[in-house]
């Protein structure tokens, strides 16, 4: 018999239990959206609690969080934190919003089972394999679709609703008119970012960190490549063309509330408590004010935000899909508030002209736009000098800086004092009291029957007890609550107690309650252990096609070609290949009849939908897809979950593109269930991970990228604002980048930034075939190829040898 979360283990008598997930309701009016605060540490959580956050999102230590560098929390921490939050009427969402490698899925699924027992209000997910585990095995747990899923239109939101999600976290790149249209067209509650850091790339579509350093942004280890300094030539001091300003939507929160957004999210799980307190407090003021006092509240909120060090603020994509001001020319990526200018530096002493007071303990950064250089210092001693023109501060600084350099305050001394206060407060909180236990009691005729429930585990236990007639204080609710609640370090605490029927007028010896409690805990432990065992067995079974022994080798190898231009497509027509993948662009659509005639089989063409398809373009693509279907085309490559809503018909050959992130066998099984007959393996994967997937068998046919100049960044920001298209830039990691506007899409345009060095796995194809991979993709996006270059690539494909001047990304170095 398989695992069923609604069925109690066989050792205990089952009873029907209600859903266990807590949904604390804020005391504020329900028609206003919640303010959702980041909690990267205990101190940040407590600061947000004080400032009035309605809900928190936080990650766990040990992986699964898209902010792996945050301090994060343990499950034991949540035993303390969740009751505190729920007691204040606040909600807590746990982020498990990263992609998982094959070896990580079972342990993460085990963690989710425990999170449900602890009473987390929702789980934030990205990995499709983990989504399937939750939907099948933890059906009561509310799921929020992470912004890493790149859902940005009503088609995507409708698909999430079909998949059982309770909330969609929209991409930061959506404009307010787009958000309004999505809210009107799709019923699922929406969450949007209103404050904090902006990414250069659309979330979920960034491969830069993984390709350059092996630390995947999709796995919480972003190296922040877009914040790096780049050079345009040997004599260039460097600039920051990919470093966006920070998002500040304070002036738009009331508008977002009116159009139906249910959650206003503040970015910042790597930020300190002083940031959380100030930012939550500012948005609380702006949101809670009535119409007559809105302007005054907005002014006070703006003053509060100005006290927070950070990059220059922008309202991002609020009213334009390609905002120019998000990429300031010569942007300084330094977080901080500018407070002054270097007057001089001499013999290790920095002299700063500053109106604000500089104190011991302040953290300063001196930045030179001309030299592209910065120097940081924590002020250990400072001398203040008053002058007729203001005040000067003399601070020891070993590193030389120049007159006129800008001085920023990154952190204030008083912030450290606030942090210490919160740390003391956290240490004074009561220790974790275990899992919430819900009891129902029936007593009479020398017997006490306990119906006990912890999450989805429910037991009924009967205990013979001695009952003496009561002379003064008969058995009552208070007595039961005291005796049954003394659970000590058992791992449980009494969360609720109900009495069925009437209690008899008797007394029960205290010693018998002690024995009863001990036996109840033993039975619960056994029942939970059995349920956990069956759950984990079901997780493994859910993966599908688990192989035994050696992996099943592919019978042969087939070449797929992806061409994003007519010239590239034509140059490939005399090559022996299996299928041709064509993006839905105007030029390629106009050429489809000629291509079909030359291929003599329209089934060999796979039309690829774009990963970014804004709300205003949906109908254009719907019409074009309908036309292609009428013409007899059946092959389509999907690069976003919303495409499932656009292509919901029968007898279609759906290919899951790399943007759907198949990194483990559970994700492959989920994509097959969603209607895909082929899945593209993630180019971020390591060889070790692919060996692990292949050893257990592929649930659906895999397609590996054998060669490709893949976009490291996919963005709505026009790089041409600060960086000429024909001028490559280079990082300190010796990675050269260039960018292109996506050629002639059916609707709005967007941009790709590429590395000059292509990905190549031709040298690993023999091993991949042994692991069950028989289909390989040559992706010719972003560059044109001569017949000679194509011939070289085909030779590498046939001989399975490496290509000179290429990169294998994470194959050997591993994926973090």
């Amino acid at each position: 018999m398989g695992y069923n979360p609604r069925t109690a283990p066989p050792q205990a008598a089952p009873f029907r239990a209600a859903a266990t997930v807590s949904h604390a309701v804020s005391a504020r009016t329900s028609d206003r959206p919640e303010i959702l605060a980041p909690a990267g540490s205990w101190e940040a959580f407590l600061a947000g609690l004080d400032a009035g956050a309605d809900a928190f999102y936080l990650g766990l230590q040990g992986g699964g969080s898209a902010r792996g560098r945050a301090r994060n929390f343990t499950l034991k921490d949540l035993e303390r934190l969740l009751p505190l939050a729920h007691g204040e009427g606040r909600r807590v969402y746990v982020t498990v919003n990263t992609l998982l490698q094959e070896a990580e899925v079972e342990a993460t699924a085990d963690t989710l089972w425990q999170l449900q027992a602890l009473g987390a209000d929702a789980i934030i997910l990205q990995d499709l394999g983990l989504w399937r585990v939750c939907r099948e095995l933890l059906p009561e747990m509310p799921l929020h679709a992470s912004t890493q899923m790149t859902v940005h239109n009503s088609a995507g939101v409708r698909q999430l609703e079909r998949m059982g999600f309770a909330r969609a976290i929209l991409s930061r790149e959506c404009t307010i008119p787009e958000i309004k249209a999505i809210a009107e067209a799709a019923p699922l509650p929406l969450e949007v970012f209103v404050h904090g850091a902006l990414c250069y790339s659309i979330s979920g579509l960034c491969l830069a960190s993984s390709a350059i350093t092996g630390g995947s942004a999709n796995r919480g280890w972003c190296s922040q490549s877009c914040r790096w300094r780049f050079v345009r030539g040997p004599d260039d001091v460097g600039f920051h063309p990919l470093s966006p300003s920070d998002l500040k939507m304070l002036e738009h929160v009331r508008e977002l509330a009116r159009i139906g957004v249910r959650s206003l999210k503040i970015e910042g799980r790597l930020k300190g408590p002083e940031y959380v307190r100030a930012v939550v407090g500012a948005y609380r003021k702006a949101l809670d004010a009535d119409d007559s006092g809105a302007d005054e509240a907005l002014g006070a909120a703006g003053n509060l935000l100005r006290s927070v060090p950070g990059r220059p603020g922008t309202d991002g994509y609020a009213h334009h899909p390609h905002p120019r001001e998000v990429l300031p020319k010569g942007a300084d990526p330094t977080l901080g508030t500018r407070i002054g200018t270097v007057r001089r530096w001499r013999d290790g002493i920095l002299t700063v002209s500053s109106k604000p007071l500089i104190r011991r303990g302040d953290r300063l950064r001196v930045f030179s736009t001309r030299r592209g250089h910065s120097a940081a210092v924590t002020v250990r001693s400072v001398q203040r000098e008053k002058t007729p023109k203001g005040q000067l501060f003399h601070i020891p600084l070993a590193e030389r800086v120049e007159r006129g350099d800008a001085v920023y305050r990154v952190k204030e001394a008083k912030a450290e004092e606030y942090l210490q206060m919160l740390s003391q407060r956290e240490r004074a909180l009561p220790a974790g009291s275990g899992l919430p236990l819900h009891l129902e009691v029936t007593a009479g005729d020398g017997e006490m029957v306990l119906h006990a429930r912890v999450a989805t585990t429910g037991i009924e236990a009967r205990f013979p007890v001695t009952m003496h007639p009561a002379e003064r204080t008969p058995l009552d609710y208070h007595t039961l609550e005291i005796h049954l609640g003394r659970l000590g370090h058992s791992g449980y605490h009494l969360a609720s107690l109900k009495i069925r029927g009437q209690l008899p007028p008797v007394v029960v010896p205290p010693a018998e309650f002690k024995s009863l409690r001990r036996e109840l805990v033993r039975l619960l432990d056994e029942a939970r252990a059995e349920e956990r065992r069956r759950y984990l067995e079901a997780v493994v079974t859910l993966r599908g096609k688990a192989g035994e022994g050696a992996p099943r080798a592919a019978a042969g190898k087939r070449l797929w070609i992806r061409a994003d231009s007519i010239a590239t497509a034509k140059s490939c027509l005399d090559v022996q290949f299996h299928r041709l993948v064509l993006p839905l662009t105007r030029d390629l659509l106009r050429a489809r009849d000629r291509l079909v005639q030359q291929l003599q089989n329209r089934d060999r063409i796979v039309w690829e939908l774009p990963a970014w398809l804004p709300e205003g373009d949906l109908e254009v693509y719907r019409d074009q897809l309908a036309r292609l279907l009428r013409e007899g085309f059946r092959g389509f490559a999907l690069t976003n979950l919303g495409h499932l809503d656009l292509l919901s018909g029968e007898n279609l050959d759906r290919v899951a593109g790399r943007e759907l992130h198949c990194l483990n066998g559970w994700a492959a099984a989920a994509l097959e269930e969603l209607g895909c007959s082929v899945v593209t393996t993630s180019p971020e994967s390591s060889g070790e991970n692919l060996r692990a997937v292949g050893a257990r068998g592929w649930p659906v046919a895999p397609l590996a990228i054998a060669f490709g100049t893949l976009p490291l960044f996919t963005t709505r920001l026009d790089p041409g604002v600060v960086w000429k298209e024909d001028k490559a830039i280079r990082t300190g990691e010796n990675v050269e980048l260039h960018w292109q506007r996506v050629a002639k899409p059916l609707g709005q345009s967007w941009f790709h930034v590429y590395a000059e060095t292509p990905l190549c796995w031709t040298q690993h194809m023999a091993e991949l075939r042994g692991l069950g991979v028989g289909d390989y993709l040559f992706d010719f996006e972003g560059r044109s190829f001569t017949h000679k270059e194509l011939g070289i690539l085909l030779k590498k494909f046939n001989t399975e040898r490496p290509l000179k001047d290429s990169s294998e990304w994470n194959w050997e170095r591993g994926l973090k």
Side-chain angles (χ1 to χ4, degrees), residues 13 27 29 97 105 164 176 266 598 686 726 797 800:
T29 56
N97 57 336
V105 175
I176 291 180
I266 296 166
Q598 289 175 288
S686 65
D726 59 353
F797 177 80
E800 301 179 0

Side-chain angles (χ1 to χ4, degrees), residues 445-762:
D445 298 328
E447 182 183 62
M448 192 169 291
V449 182
L450 300 184
H451 301 264
R453 175 172 56 85
V454 176
T456 55
T457 306
I459 64 170
E460 178 184 289
R462 296 177 176 272
F463 300 95
V465 293
T466 303
M467 295 182 175
H468 300 295
E471 297 181 0
R472 287 181 297 177
T473 54
L475 189 66
D476 59 8
Y477 180 93
H478 180 66
T479 304
L480 287 173
E481 185 180 42
I482 290 175
H483 287 291
L484 296 178
R486 290 174 178 167
L487 294 166
H489 300 288
S490 65
Y492 307 100
H493 72 271
L494 186 60
S496 68
L497 175 66
K498 293 182 180 179
I499 298 173
R500 291 183 177 181
Q502 296 292 320
L503 292 176
V506 298
V507 295
V508 177
E512 297 204 18
F513 275 114
K514 183 177 181 181
S515 176
L516 181 152
R517 289 195 307 270
R518 186 184 300 115
E519 182 63 12
L520 178 66
V521 167
R522 185 188 68 79
L523 290 172
L524 272 173
D525 286 344
E526 288 180 354
R528 281 183 50 76
E530 174 61 16
E531 180 174 326
R532 184 180 185 183
R533 182 190 66 78
R534 292 190 294 127
Y535 166 77
L536 293 176
E537 286 180 353
V539 168
V540 175
T541 303
L542 195 63
R543 182 192 183 279
K545 294 190 181 179
E548 295 182 3
R552 182 179 300 175
K557 61 182 180 183
R558 298 185 299 191
L559 177 63
W560 295 47
I561 290 177
R562 182 180 182 275
D564 65 351
S565 69
I566 296 175
T568 303
K570 286 182 176 180
S571 68
C572 297
L573 290 179
D574 57 354
V575 173
Q576 294 294 318
F577 64 86
H578 177 55
R579 306 193 76 174
L580 180 64
V581 181
L582 300 174
L584 278 172
T585 65
R586 292 190 181 95
D587 285 350
L588 288 169
L589 284 166
R590 280 195 289 263
R592 65 185 182 276
D593 290 337
R594 283 177 289 160
L595 292 171
V596 169
Q597 184 178 9
Q598 289 175 288
L599 289 171
Q600 298 181 347
N601 186 350
R602 60 175 23 90
D603 289 341
R604 294 179 65 192
I605 294 179
V606 176
W607 292 103
E608 181 187 88
L609 281 74
W612 185 261
L613 205 171
E615 183 70 18
D617 293 346
L618 279 179
E619 288 309 310
V620 175
Y621 279 87
R622 284 188 192 278
D623 291 344
Q624 186 58 63
L625 289 172
R627 186 175 298 117
L628 290 172
L629 289 170
R630 287 195 300 271
E631 293 175 5
F633 290 98
R634 289 294 178 265
F636 297 92
L638 316 183
T639 60
N640 186 274
L641 287 175
H643 300 163
L644 292 164
D645 180 77
L646 299 177
L647 287 165
S648 57
E650 299 295 329
N651 301 318
L652 297 181
D653 186 6
R654 301 178 186 86
V655 177
R658 58 173 167 78
E659 295 86 350
L660 289 176
H661 303 301
C662 181
L663 200 60
N664 60 69
W666 285 265
L671 287 165
E672 182 184 36
E673 179 186 303
L674 291 170
C676 297
S677 57
V678 177
V679 298
T680 307
T681 65
S682 171
E684 295 190 83
S685 187
S686 65
E688 179 183 10
N689 180 61
L690 285 167
R691 293 180 199 109
V693 179
R696 303 178 77 163
W698 291 90
V700 64
L703 170 66
I705 300 174
F707 172 86
T709 307
L710 307 182
L712 301 192
F713 300 102
T714 299
T715 180
R716 279 189 117 174
L717 298 174
D718 184 351
V721 171
V722 292
W723 172 21
K724 292 183 179 179
E725 185 172 6
D726 59 353
K727 189 74 171 178
I729 59 175
R730 186 178 296 274
T731 72
E733 299 280 338
N734 205 32
V735 176
E736 193 170 78
L737 303 179
H738 70 278
W739 67 270
Q740 290 182 4
R741 182 187 294 267
V742 173
K744 298 184 179 180
L746 299 183
Q748 295 182 27
S749 62
W750 64 98
F751 306 87
H752 282 157
V753 178
Y754 303 93
E756 290 290 339
T757 304
L759 166 73
C760 186
W761 280 359
T762 53

